[in-house]
Every structure is written in C-alpha cells, then in structure tokens.
C-alpha cells in the first residue's frame, strides 16, 4: 500500500492515522476533514467550553505528526470502493490503496436545521453566546448529553427544564442509577418534564408538550445522533439497522476499507463514546495493514459523564438492571463504588464521585475482587 486515506477529522481519524505510523506504515497518510478546525475533543463542549470555564483552544487535540497530511475543509461526498477513490465536495478525486472511514456522527435535529445543538465547536460557541443573554432554557432529551447541557445551563444561572420522552431519564443507566441522577438534577433545581407522546418544536422559544406549551429563551436539542454515512450511499458498503457502517472484529468493512468510531455498527449496535473511538482507531489501522492476522478489536466499554455534581465513570456494558452491590460509599453522600452483575457472568463497575484509578475500575468491571474497605 502506498497511500492510505482517512476520512473524518476527530479522535477516531486522528488515532487511526497515528496508529498507521506506529504500526510501521511508511507510505502517504492523508486525513480529510470537512471541519474548518484542527482536530479537537468534543468532550468539553457540553461542559467547560459551554460554561465558559475552558477556552475553545483547550479542546484542541495534539496536532498530527508532520508525516501526516491533515486537510481541513475537505468534505467527502462519494466513495467509489471498486476504483478506490474518494470524491470531495469541490469535485477533487482522492485515490487510495487503503481507506479508513471515521466520519462519526452528527446531532439529530427535530426541526429543519434551526435547532441549537452541541456537536461541534461551532455549535458550542453559538449556544454559549445565546446562553450568555438568556434567563431560561428547555433541553430536549434527557440522555447523557442533555443532562450535561442542563447542568451547564443551570450553573450559568438559567432556569432549566429537561423534557424527555418516557421515564426513566437516562434509561441506559437503568432505574437505580437513573434515579440517583434525577434526584441530583432536582437538587440542582432542574425541572424535569416527561412527554410520553413526544414534543413539537413550535418556534425558537416554544415547545408543545402534550396539552401544554413550554416557553424559554433558548431551546437546546439533545435527542441523539445520526451516523455520517450519506457519502457512502452508492459505495455498496453495508449499513446496519442503526444507520452505522457494519465492521467486523478487526474493524474491516470491505477489501481495503476499515472503519472506526461513532460511525461504526458492530454486532448490531453503535458505541458512541470516546474510549471506543480511540480503541477502534487503533484496531482499524492494524486491521487495514495486517488483515485477518491483526489482533481483533477488544471492546473497552468505558465512559464517563459529569452532571449535576455527579462525576460518573462506568466500565462495562449497559443497561444496568436491578440493584448493584455497593462496594464503597453511600447513597446519602452521593459517593459510591458500585457493581452490577449481569446474566451470563459479566459485570459493570461504576464510580460516582469516588476517586479510583480508571484501570482499577476496569478491573472491577472485569470481575476483580472488591477493594477492602478503607481503615478509619
Ligand atoms: C458534546 C459532547 C460531549 C461528549 N462527552 C463525552 C464524555 O464525557 N465521555 C465520552 O465517553 N464520550 C463523550 N462524547 C462522545 C465522543 O465525543 C464521541 O464518541 C467521539 O467524538 C467520537 O469520535 P469520532 O472520531 O468517531 O467521531 P466524531 O467526533 O463525530 O468526528 C467525526 C469527524 O468526521 C468529520 N466528517 C463527517 N463527515 C465527513 C465527510 N463526509 N467528509 C469529511 N469529514 C467528515 C466530522 O466533521 C468530524 O470532524 C461526547 C460527545 C459530544 C458531542
């Protein structure tokens, strides 16, 4: 292989490009990113950047090495997998010998496109400037992102209502942990509204929710994401029912094509989290260079969220059903080390405001014995 093209401009793309070098690939590596920015992390966008505590600059990821060509403003619009060429929006054709698809996902919107969302740096900056003069906000969607945005709005002094479709909020966390998170949200003064029949965004200040109309200065939409696969439409590559690009255990999609990150659907589901994007970026590079002899991608289901004074770190599969073993701490203190055991023998470890190195949390999630209680 002489030239590998990586389409995408964020953590999965960057990790794959750097990993190609780490694996010894000495041909040309070209990264094509549609965004105007250098690669950055989305993680602080709903937290410190939106709150104004962190400058946008602090979200930038380390620049790719000089032996990697990183093109901004390069949007792929078509893939010809047979002739091995990517077409850009300006009509340029970029040929490749190997391709990494890392085009991630975009925010799902409820209106034609005017909704305020938090997916890109530009989104976060636009919303931050709206929040600066607002006194109230409605956040549509009570998942991780919606609750983080609600927390930030509240910290900025806004009145906040979160509207979600059906209880429980944060349903992926399961009822036990979701109840804890919802209690913390209420303590933070966040109003929670359940809309079993969905909502209709009437205009930029009004939302219909059942019989009533809710009003706020700002309405933020945090109702999930959509994988960016439109440019692959005529490529013959297979998409899953969830819209993601289907990849095998070595992140391979088709001859000469691998995929990584939020765009990927594996074993019928997407895993849109940071650690997964990093791990798949590495595995995709290896899968492209070494084929079936590459070490298969080993899922690392670790992720975290910061909301309403809760710093939640999770290692293991979701959803979490039933009650956990409380390994340390107490619900009253909202500082907890928890473990759920699943049918089939696997487990999920969760730290809530509990200081524990990530590696130890992962070991707990993998079934290691619980730590001995600290001596007093
Ligand atoms: C606000 C926010 C907060 C988050 N917080 C957390 C957190 O606390 N913990 C956690 O584990 N995860 C968090 N996540 C999720 C995490 O950021 C994502 O899982 C991660 O960004 C996925 O990386 P990716 O490279 O696969 O995709 P993306 O980050 O979506 O990047 C895809 C890139 O491809 C580019 N692209 C798309 N289409 C094209 C095209 N046709 N041509 C060229 N380029 C294209 C996009 O512009 C983008 O730059 C958060 C996400 C958001 C939005």
């Amino acid at each position: 292989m002489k030239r590998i093209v990586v389409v995408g401009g964020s953590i999965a793309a960057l990790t794959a490009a750097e990993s190609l070098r780490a694996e010894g690939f000495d041909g040309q590596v070209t990264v094509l990113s549609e965004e105007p920015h250098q690669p950055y992390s989305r993680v602080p966008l709903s937290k410190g950047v939106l709150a104004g505590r962190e400058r946008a600059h602090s979200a930038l990821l380390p620049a790719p090495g000089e032996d990697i060509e990183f093109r901004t403003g390069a949007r792929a619009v078509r893939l010809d997998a047979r002739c091995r060429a990517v077409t850009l929006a300006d009509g340029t054709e970029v040929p490749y010998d190997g391709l990494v698809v890392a085009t991630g996902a975009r925010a799902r919107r409820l209106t034609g496109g005017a909704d305020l969302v938090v997916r890109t740096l530009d989104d976060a900056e636009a919303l931050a400037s709206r929040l600066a003069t607002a006194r109230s906000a409605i956040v549509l969607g009570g998942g991780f992102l919606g609750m983080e945005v609600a927390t930030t709005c509240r910290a900025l002094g806004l009145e906040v209502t979160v509207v979600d479709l059906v209880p429980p909020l944060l349903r992926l966390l399961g009822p036990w942990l979701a109840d804890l998170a919802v209690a913390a949200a209420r303590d933070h003064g966040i109003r929670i509204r359940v809309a079993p029949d969905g909502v209709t965004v009437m205009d930029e200040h009004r939302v219909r929710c059942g019989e009533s109309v809710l009003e706020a200065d700002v309405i933020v939409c945090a109702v999930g994401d959509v994988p960016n696969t439109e440019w692959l439409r005529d490529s013959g590559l297979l998409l899953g029912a969830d819209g993601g690009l289907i990849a095998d255990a070595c992140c391979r999609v088709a001859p000469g094509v691998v995929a990584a990150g939020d765009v990927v659907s594996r074993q019928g589901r997407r895993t849109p989290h940071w650690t997964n994007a990093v791990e798949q970026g590495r595995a995709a590079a290896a899968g492209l260079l070494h084929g079936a002899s590459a070490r298969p991608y080993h899922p690392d289901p670790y992720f975290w969220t910061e909301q309403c004074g809760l710093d939640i770190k999770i290692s293991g599969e979701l959803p979490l059903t039933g009650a956990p073993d409380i390994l340390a701490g107490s619900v009253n203190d909202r500082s907890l080390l928890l473990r759920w055991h699943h049918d089939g023998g696997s487990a999920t470890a969760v730290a809530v405001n509990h200081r524990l190195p990530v590696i130890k949390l992962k070991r707990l999630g993998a079934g290691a014995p619980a730590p001995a209680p600290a001596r007093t």
Side-chain angles (χ1 to χ4, degrees):
M1 264 191 256
K2 288 193 181 137
R3 185 188 208 185
I4 294 179
V5 167
V6 181
V7 185
S10 190
I11 185 64
L14 203 61
T15 306
E18 301 279 12
S19 302
L20 288 167
R21 292 297 182 219
E23 293 278 344
F25 178 69
D26 61 1
Q28 193 178 351
V29 177
T30 302
V31 182
L32 304 171
S33 170
E34 69 177 353
E35 291 199 59
H37 309 288
Q38 289 299 307
Y40 60 88
S41 166
R42 299 181 198 285
V43 172
L45 300 185
S46 50
K47 310 172 182 83
V49 171
L50 192 59
R53 287 195 311 273
E54 289 174 40
R55 310 193 71 138
H57 186 76
S58 68
L60 292 181
L61 294 168
E66 281 176 7
D67 52 359
I68 292 170
E69 181 193 9
F70 191 93
R71 290 197 209 165
T72 53
R75 184 160 67 91
V77 292
R78 187 167 176 271
L79 171 65
D80 187 334
R82 209 168 47 83
C83 298
R84 300 202 174 195
V86 173
T87 307
L88 301 183
D90 66 4
T92 313
E93 284 222 337
V94 186
Y96 65 82
D97 301 304
L99 177 73
V100 182
V101 177
T103 43
R106 60 183 180 279
R108 193 160 84 80
R109 293 169 187 269
L110 291 181
T111 69
D115 338 34
L116 289 167
V117 296
V118 189
R119 181 77 203 181
T120 67
L121 195 51
D122 296 348
D123 293 336
E125 289 184 329
L127 179 58
S129 76
R130 290 288 300 275
L131 296 179
T133 56
R135 285 187 300 184
S136 58
I138 294 171
V139 179
L140 301 178
F144 292 152
L145 180 61
M147 296 309 286
E148 289 186 1
V149 171
T151 304
T152 301
C153 291
R154 198 67 197 113
L156 292 170
L158 278 69
E159 281 184 24
V160 182
T161 304
V162 172
V163 185
D164 201 13
L165 284 183
V166 278
L169 289 162
L170 298 161
R171 59 189 78 85
L172 265 181
L173 292 180
W176 199 94
L177 205 48
D179 283 353
L180 190 81
V182 169
R186 292 211 162 101
D187 289 352
H188 261 62
I190 294 173
R191 281 194 290 264
I192 290 168
R193 182 86 186 229
V194 176
D197 301 322
V199 294
T200 309
V201 180
M202 300 166 71
D203 55 39
E204 64 176 311
H205 298 299
R206 292 185 307 153
V207 171
R208 180 174 296 286
C209 175
E211 298 288 289
S212 46
V213 174
L214 307 179
E215 292 190 35
D217 294 336
V218 170
I219 297 171
V220 187
C221 201
V223 292
D225 60 3
V226 183
N228 291 318
T229 52
E230 287 72 10
W231 67 286
L232 302 171
R233 198 176 289 124
D234 304 322
S235 66
L237 303 187
L238 286 183
L239 302 182
D242 54 11
L245 184 58
I246 295 177
D248 74 6
C250 297
C251 295
R252 293 174 305 167
V253 171
V257 183
V258 292
D262 283 12
V263 75
V264 170
S265 176
R266 194 165 164 264
Q267 294 177 333
R269 60 190 268 207
R270 294 172 53 236
T271 308
H273 296 295
W274 180 264
T275 313
N276 181 66
V278 171
E279 295 298 331
Q280 283 188 341
R282 289 184 186 135
L288 190 56
L289 295 177
H290 310 308
S293 63
R295 196 162 53 88
Y297 161 68
H298 182 67
D300 179 5
Y302 169 74
F303 45 94
W304 68 95
T305 174
E306 294 160 27
Q307 47 180 279
C308 305
L310 301 181
D311 177 7
I312 303 176
K313 295 188 170 63
I314 301 175
S315 179
E317 296 295 339
L318 297 180
L320 302 171
T321 49
D325 294 338
I326 299 181
L327 307 181
S330 74
V331 174
N332 285 347
D333 296 342
R334 288 200 178 138
S335 167
L336 289 153
L337 184 60
L338 307 163
R339 184 159 57 187
W340 274 259
H341 294 277
H342 306 297
D343 294 345
S346 64
T348 297
V350 177
V352 182
N353 293 344
H354 183 92
R355 288 169 71 89
L356 186 75
V358 172
I359 186 73
K360 290 193 175 172
L361 187 74
K362 288 184 178 180
R363 281 188 200 134
L364 276 180
R375 285 195 198 152
T376 48

